[in-house]
Short mmCIF file of all heavy atoms in Angstrom, two decimals:
data_model
loop_
_atom_site.label_atom_id
_atom_site.label_comp_id
_atom_site.label_asym_id
_atom_site.label_seq_id
_atom_site.Cartn_x
_atom_site.Cartn_y
_atom_site.Cartn_z
N TYR A 18 -34.43 -4.00 41.84
CA TYR A 18 -33.96 -3.29 40.65
C TYR A 18 -32.43 -3.35 40.51
O TYR A 18 -31.71 -3.36 41.52
CB TYR A 18 -34.36 -1.81 40.70
CG TYR A 18 -35.83 -1.56 40.76
CD1 TYR A 18 -36.47 -1.33 41.99
CD2 TYR A 18 -36.61 -1.53 39.60
CE1 TYR A 18 -37.83 -1.09 42.06
CE2 TYR A 18 -37.97 -1.29 39.67
CZ TYR A 18 -38.57 -1.07 40.90
OH TYR A 18 -39.92 -0.84 40.96
N ARG A 154 -46.86 22.54 29.06
CA ARG A 154 -46.02 22.30 27.87
C ARG A 154 -46.85 21.87 26.67
O ARG A 154 -46.60 22.28 25.54
CB ARG A 154 -44.98 21.23 28.20
CG ARG A 154 -44.15 20.75 27.00
CD ARG A 154 -43.13 19.71 27.42
NE ARG A 154 -43.70 18.49 27.92
CZ ARG A 154 -44.10 17.47 27.16
NH1 ARG A 154 -43.98 17.53 25.83
NH2 ARG A 154 -44.60 16.37 27.70
N MET A 157 -52.49 22.40 27.17
CA MET A 157 -53.80 21.92 27.57
C MET A 157 -54.62 23.01 28.25
O MET A 157 -54.08 23.89 28.91
CB MET A 157 -53.66 20.72 28.51
CG MET A 157 -53.00 19.52 27.85
SD MET A 157 -53.94 18.97 26.41
CE MET A 157 -52.99 17.55 25.90
N LYS A 164 -51.19 28.23 35.65
CA LYS A 164 -50.07 28.66 36.48
C LYS A 164 -49.01 27.58 36.65
O LYS A 164 -47.93 27.85 37.17
CB LYS A 164 -50.56 29.08 37.86
CG LYS A 164 -51.44 30.32 37.86
CD LYS A 164 -51.79 30.70 39.29
CE LYS A 164 -52.65 31.97 39.31
NZ LYS A 164 -53.02 32.35 40.69
N GLY A 191 -39.15 -9.99 33.77
CA GLY A 191 -38.33 -9.01 33.07
C GLY A 191 -37.33 -8.33 33.98
O GLY A 191 -37.46 -8.32 35.20
#
Side-chain angles (χ1 to χ4, degrees):
Y18 299 97
R154 172 179 64 85
M157 296 301 182
K164 293 184 179 180

